[in-house]
């Protein structure tokens, strides 16, 4: 293919179009019209690529008869990369949006304004899509709205007026996303998603935290801690924490399956604690009583079998019995 002056112009048009729709258009603009701009960028690129391949003088030559053996005959093949580029541009925009939200995103409380499900039938097969409309108002600015596609389980758990979390780009608050899945929430809030260890307990004591501060602290360690009548509970991890600031003591409960019982992660962390815990055990009747003691803490361990009515889960798989471990943690010399 000879690169004459005209082909160089079309090549320049292809490169310019790719650059413009790849990084030249702002994320905020793309966010308003992602589908249209992805299609427009792909269509223009395919058009200029066809003009380049066929060495056309203008788009009007597309309507003329094409001689056999002419490079103009293969020019329509440019539609193939054009179709691919629609998805490439869209995915690239999505990755740009995710990158700025992860790096510069601000989390804010938002509300569900409305939602709808749409069912379509094609070839006797039904497909249902779900969408919610969300509103949020960043400080010192107007209220923003956006719609987001979600899955069926998320749709069924939401309702009009429900409170959710939204992450938005401070530079352009219209660039935003509802945080609905567990993975999105953990990533946005930078949650470690692990069980409590001794250093976490020690921090609660030494920092003399309020209930609100404790809950915030716990939610940076594991997802979905809540308070229930003064007790901190994480039902997902099957652990609970009751704190008595006056007596400088707390009770830590953890439920573990015997089939996966390698000891509590909290108890394991005592071996590596800077406090230097010494373990002791004694028999009281047929029951072994275990305790850990350091210069600043004494911890008493108890455990018992949890009640279980059915040894099989809903899928018919055997379900191991569970043990409840209770650690009473007392701070000495507060």
């Amino acid at each position: 293919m000879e690169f004459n002056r005209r082909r160089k112009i079309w090549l320049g048009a292809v490169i310019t179009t790719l650059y413009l729709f790849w990084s030249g258009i702002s994320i905020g603009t793309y966010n308003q019209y992602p589908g249209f701009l992805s299609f427009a960028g792909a269509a223009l690129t395919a058009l200029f690529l066809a003009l380049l391949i066929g060495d056309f003088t203008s788009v009007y030559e597309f309507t003329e008869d094409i001689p056999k053996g002419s490079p103009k005959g293969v020019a329509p093949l440019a539609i193939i990369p054009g179709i691919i580029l629609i998805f490439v541009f869209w995915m690239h925009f999505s990755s740009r949006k995710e990158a700025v939200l992860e790096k510069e995103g601000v989390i804010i409380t938002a509300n569900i304004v409305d939602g709808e499900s749409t069912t379509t039938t094609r070839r006797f097969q039904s497909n249902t899509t779900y969408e919610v409309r969300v509103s949020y108002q960043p400080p010192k600015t107007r209220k923003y709205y956006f719609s987001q596609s979600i899955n069926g389980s998320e749709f069924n758990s939401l309702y009009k007026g429900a409170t959710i979390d939204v992450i938005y780009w401070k530079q352009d608050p219209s660039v935003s996303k509802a945080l609905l899945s567990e993975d999105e929430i953990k990533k946005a809030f930078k949650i470690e998603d692990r069980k409590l260890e001794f250093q976490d307990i020690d921090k609660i004591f030494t920092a003399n935290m309020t209930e609100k501060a404790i809950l915030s602290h716990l939610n940076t360690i594991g997802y979905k801690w809540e308070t229930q009548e003064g007790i901190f509970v994480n039902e997902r991890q099957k652990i609970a924490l009751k704190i008595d600031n006056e007596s400088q003591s707390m009770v830590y409960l953890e439920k573990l399956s015997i089939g996966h019982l390698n000891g509590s992660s909290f108890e394991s962390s005592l071996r590596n604690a800077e406090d230097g815990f010494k373990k002791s055990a004694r028999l009281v009747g047929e029951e072994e009583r275990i305790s850990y003691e350091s210069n600043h803490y004494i911890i008493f361990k108890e455990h018992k079998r949890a009640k279980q009515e059915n040894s099989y889960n809903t899928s018919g798989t055997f379900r191991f019995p569970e043990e409840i471990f209770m650690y009473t943690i007392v701070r000495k010399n507060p």
Side-chain angles (χ1 to χ4, degrees), residues 307-322:
K307 291 183 179 180
Q308 185 171 302
E309 296 179 358
N310 192 346
S311 298
Y312 292 86
N313 58 26
T314 54
S315 63
T317 307
F318 179 75
R319 183 175 61 187
F320 286 98
E322 291 179 315

PDB file of all heavy atoms in Angstrom, residues 307-322:
ATOM      1  N   LYS A 307     -25.653 -25.063  69.994  1.00  0.00           N
ATOM      2  CA  LYS A 307     -26.816 -25.880  69.687  1.00  0.00           C
ATOM      3  C   LYS A 307     -26.997 -25.981  68.176  1.00  0.00           C
ATOM      4  O   LYS A 307     -26.846 -25.021  67.458  1.00  0.00           O
ATOM      5  CB  LYS A 307     -28.076 -25.289  70.317  1.00  0.00           C
ATOM      6  CG  LYS A 307     -28.105 -25.391  71.833  1.00  0.00           C
ATOM      7  CD  LYS A 307     -29.417 -24.844  72.373  1.00  0.00           C
ATOM      8  CE  LYS A 307     -29.474 -24.970  73.887  1.00  0.00           C
ATOM      9  NZ  LYS A 307     -30.744 -24.454  74.438  1.00  0.00           N
ATOM     10  N   GLN A 308     -27.329 -27.188  67.714  1.00  0.00           N
ATOM     11  CA  GLN A 308     -27.508 -27.382  66.278  1.00  0.00           C
ATOM     12  C   GLN A 308     -28.584 -28.426  66.060  1.00  0.00           C
ATOM     13  O   GLN A 308     -28.463 -29.569  66.483  1.00  0.00           O
ATOM     14  CB  GLN A 308     -26.174 -27.837  65.659  1.00  0.00           C
ATOM     15  CG  GLN A 308     -26.220 -27.954  64.157  1.00  0.00           C
ATOM     16  CD  GLN A 308     -24.820 -28.188  63.596  1.00  0.00           C
ATOM     17  OE1 GLN A 308     -23.922 -27.399  63.808  1.00  0.00           O
ATOM     18  NE2 GLN A 308     -24.654 -29.271  62.880  1.00  0.00           N
ATOM     19  N   GLU A 309     -29.640 -28.021  65.381  1.00  0.00           N
ATOM     20  CA  GLU A 309     -30.779 -28.918  65.186  1.00  0.00           C
ATOM     21  C   GLU A 309     -30.551 -29.870  64.015  1.00  0.00           C
ATOM     22  O   GLU A 309     -30.979 -31.004  64.044  1.00  0.00           O
ATOM     23  CB  GLU A 309     -32.051 -28.106  64.950  1.00  0.00           C
ATOM     24  CG  GLU A 309     -32.446 -27.257  66.154  1.00  0.00           C
ATOM     25  CD  GLU A 309     -33.695 -26.458  65.890  1.00  0.00           C
ATOM     26  OE1 GLU A 309     -34.219 -26.551  64.753  1.00  0.00           O
ATOM     27  OE2 GLU A 309     -34.151 -25.749  66.795  1.00  0.00           O
ATOM     28  N   ASN A 310     -29.916 -29.394  62.950  1.00  0.00           N
ATOM     29  CA  ASN A 310     -29.767 -30.198  61.747  1.00  0.00           C
ATOM     30  C   ASN A 310     -28.297 -30.255  61.349  1.00  0.00           C
ATOM     31  O   ASN A 310     -27.632 -29.232  61.275  1.00  0.00           O
ATOM     32  CB  ASN A 310     -30.576 -29.572  60.603  1.00  0.00           C
ATOM     33  CG  ASN A 310     -30.710 -30.510  59.415  1.00  0.00           C
ATOM     34  OD1 ASN A 310     -30.003 -31.498  59.340  1.00  0.00           O
ATOM     35  ND2 ASN A 310     -31.607 -30.175  58.512  1.00  0.00           N
ATOM     36  N   SER A 311     -27.768 -31.451  61.115  1.00  0.00           N
ATOM     37  CA  SER A 311     -26.368 -31.601  60.757  1.00  0.00           C
ATOM     38  C   SER A 311     -26.109 -31.440  59.266  1.00  0.00           C
ATOM     39  O   SER A 311     -24.981 -31.599  58.805  1.00  0.00           O
ATOM     40  CB  SER A 311     -25.860 -32.980  61.202  1.00  0.00           C
ATOM     41  OG  SER A 311     -25.945 -33.100  62.600  1.00  0.00           O
ATOM     42  N   TYR A 312     -27.175 -31.144  58.497  1.00  0.00           N
ATOM     43  CA  TYR A 312     -27.019 -30.969  57.060  1.00  0.00           C
ATOM     44  C   TYR A 312     -27.559 -29.615  56.649  1.00  0.00           C
ATOM     45  O   TYR A 312     -28.560 -29.146  57.181  1.00  0.00           O
ATOM     46  CB  TYR A 312     -27.764 -32.076  56.292  1.00  0.00           C
ATOM     47  CG  TYR A 312     -27.138 -33.436  56.491  1.00  0.00           C
ATOM     48  CD1 TYR A 312     -27.495 -34.225  57.579  1.00  0.00           C
ATOM     49  CD2 TYR A 312     -26.184 -33.908  55.602  1.00  0.00           C
ATOM     50  CE1 TYR A 312     -26.910 -35.474  57.775  1.00  0.00           C
ATOM     51  CE2 TYR A 312     -25.598 -35.153  55.786  1.00  0.00           C
ATOM     52  CZ  TYR A 312     -25.966 -35.925  56.870  1.00  0.00           C
ATOM     53  OH  TYR A 312     -25.387 -37.144  57.061  1.00  0.00           O
ATOM     54  N   ASN A 313     -26.860 -28.974  55.692  1.00  0.00           N
ATOM     55  CA  ASN A 313     -27.353 -27.682  55.214  1.00  0.00           C
ATOM     56  C   ASN A 313     -28.371 -27.887  54.116  1.00  0.00           C
ATOM     57  O   ASN A 313     -28.727 -29.022  53.780  1.00  0.00           O
ATOM     58  CB  ASN A 313     -26.184 -26.790  54.757  1.00  0.00           C
ATOM     59  CG  ASN A 313     -25.359 -27.444  53.653  1.00  0.00           C
ATOM     60  OD1 ASN A 313     -25.867 -28.276  52.901  1.00  0.00           O
ATOM     61  ND2 ASN A 313     -24.093 -27.070  53.567  1.00  0.00           N
ATOM     62  N   THR A 314     -28.847 -26.804  53.518  1.00  0.00           N
ATOM     63  CA  THR A 314     -29.925 -26.884  52.526  1.00  0.00           C
ATOM     64  C   THR A 314     -29.520 -27.652  51.277  1.00  0.00           C
ATOM     65  O   THR A 314     -30.357 -28.182  50.563  1.00  0.00           O
ATOM     66  CB  THR A 314     -30.379 -25.473  52.125  1.00  0.00           C
ATOM     67  OG1 THR A 314     -29.236 -24.718  51.694  1.00  0.00           O
ATOM     68  CG2 THR A 314     -31.030 -24.758  53.292  1.00  0.00           C
ATOM     69  N   SER A 315     -28.230 -27.743  50.980  1.00  0.00           N
ATOM     70  CA  SER A 315     -27.779 -28.469  49.780  1.00  0.00           C
ATOM     71  C   SER A 315     -27.545 -29.946  50.069  1.00  0.00           C
ATOM     72  O   SER A 315     -27.159 -30.706  49.195  1.00  0.00           O
ATOM     73  CB  SER A 315     -26.484 -27.848  49.243  1.00  0.00           C
ATOM     74  OG  SER A 315     -25.446 -27.975  50.193  1.00  0.00           O
ATOM     75  N   GLY A 316     -27.777 -30.362  51.317  1.00  0.00           N
ATOM     76  CA  GLY A 316     -27.612 -31.766  51.672  1.00  0.00           C
ATOM     77  C   GLY A 316     -26.203 -32.124  52.105  1.00  0.00           C
ATOM     78  O   GLY A 316     -25.908 -33.286  52.377  1.00  0.00           O
ATOM     79  N   THR A 317     -25.315 -31.153  52.161  1.00  0.00           N
ATOM     80  CA  THR A 317     -23.933 -31.392  52.577  1.00  0.00           C
ATOM     81  C   THR A 317     -23.838 -31.399  54.096  1.00  0.00           C
ATOM     82  O   THR A 317     -24.486 -30.603  54.754  1.00  0.00           O
ATOM     83  CB  THR A 317     -23.006 -30.297  52.009  1.00  0.00           C
ATOM     84  OG1 THR A 317     -23.200 -30.221  50.606  1.00  0.00           O
ATOM     85  CG2 THR A 317     -21.548 -30.614  52.299  1.00  0.00           C
ATOM     86  N   PHE A 318     -23.015 -32.305  54.625  1.00  0.00           N
ATOM     87  CA  PHE A 318     -22.867 -32.386  56.077  1.00  0.00           C
ATOM     88  C   PHE A 318     -22.306 -31.083  56.618  1.00  0.00           C
ATOM     89  O   PHE A 318     -21.373 -30.513  56.075  1.00  0.00           O
ATOM     90  CB  PHE A 318     -21.941 -33.546  56.453  1.00  0.00           C
ATOM     91  CG  PHE A 318     -21.728 -33.667  57.938  1.00  0.00           C
ATOM     92  CD1 PHE A 318     -22.727 -34.182  58.750  1.00  0.00           C
ATOM     93  CD2 PHE A 318     -20.548 -33.247  58.530  1.00  0.00           C
ATOM     94  CE1 PHE A 318     -22.543 -34.293  60.122  1.00  0.00           C
ATOM     95  CE2 PHE A 318     -20.348 -33.344  59.894  1.00  0.00           C
ATOM     96  CZ  PHE A 318     -21.353 -33.878  60.687  1.00  0.00           C
ATOM     97  N   ARG A 319     -22.890 -30.607  57.708  1.00  0.00           N
ATOM     98  CA  ARG A 319     -22.458 -29.378  58.343  1.00  0.00           C
ATOM     99  C   ARG A 319     -21.824 -29.709  59.685  1.00  0.00           C
ATOM    100  O   ARG A 319     -22.443 -30.315  60.553  1.00  0.00           O
ATOM    101  CB  ARG A 319     -23.658 -28.444  58.547  1.00  0.00           C
ATOM    102  CG  ARG A 319     -23.289 -27.085  59.135  1.00  0.00           C
ATOM    103  CD  ARG A 319     -24.499 -26.182  59.184  1.00  0.00           C
ATOM    104  NE  ARG A 319     -25.547 -26.748  60.021  1.00  0.00           N
ATOM    105  CZ  ARG A 319     -26.772 -26.230  60.135  1.00  0.00           C
ATOM    106  NH1 ARG A 319     -27.098 -25.184  59.435  1.00  0.00           N
ATOM    107  NH2 ARG A 319     -27.668 -26.808  60.921  1.00  0.00           N
ATOM    108  N   PHE A 320     -20.560 -29.323  59.845  1.00  0.00           N
ATOM    109  CA  PHE A 320     -19.845 -29.641  61.077  1.00  0.00           C
ATOM    110  C   PHE A 320     -20.447 -28.895  62.259  1.00  0.00           C
ATOM    111  O   PHE A 320     -20.913 -27.765  62.119  1.00  0.00           O
ATOM    112  CB  PHE A 320     -18.374 -29.261  60.937  1.00  0.00           C
ATOM    113  CG  PHE A 320     -17.588 -30.198  60.066  1.00  0.00           C
ATOM    114  CD1 PHE A 320     -17.344 -29.881  58.743  1.00  0.00           C
ATOM    115  CD2 PHE A 320     -17.107 -31.395  60.574  1.00  0.00           C
ATOM    116  CE1 PHE A 320     -16.619 -30.733  57.938  1.00  0.00           C
ATOM    117  CE2 PHE A 320     -16.376 -32.259  59.769  1.00  0.00           C
ATOM    118  CZ  PHE A 320     -16.140 -31.931  58.445  1.00  0.00           C
ATOM    119  N   PRO A 321     -20.427 -29.507  63.443  1.00  0.00           N
ATOM    120  CA  PRO A 321     -20.865 -28.798  64.658  1.00  0.00           C
ATOM    121  C   PRO A 321     -19.981 -27.572  64.884  1.00  0.00           C
ATOM    122  O   PRO A 321     -18.859 -27.503  64.385  1.00  0.00           O
ATOM    123  CB  PRO A 321     -20.685 -29.843  65.767  1.00  0.00           C
ATOM    124  CG  PRO A 321     -20.617 -31.152  65.069  1.00  0.00           C
ATOM    125  CD  PRO A 321     -20.014 -30.892  63.729  1.00  0.00           C
ATOM    126  N   GLU A 322     -20.504 -26.645  65.658  1.00  0.00           N
ATOM    127  CA  GLU A 322     -19.762 -25.418  65.906  1.00  0.00           C
ATOM    128  C   GLU A 322     -19.443 -25.279  67.395  1.00  0.00           C
ATOM    129  O   GLU A 322     -20.199 -25.719  68.246  1.00  0.00           O
ATOM    130  CB  GLU A 322     -20.558 -24.200  65.437  1.00  0.00           C
ATOM    131  CG  GLU A 322     -20.690 -24.130  63.926  1.00  0.00           C
ATOM    132  CD  GLU A 322     -21.494 -22.929  63.481  1.00  0.00           C
ATOM    133  OE1 GLU A 322     -22.550 -22.681  64.094  1.00  0.00           O
ATOM    134  OE2 GLU A 322     -21.082 -22.246  62.521  1.00  0.00           O
TER     135      GLU A 322
END
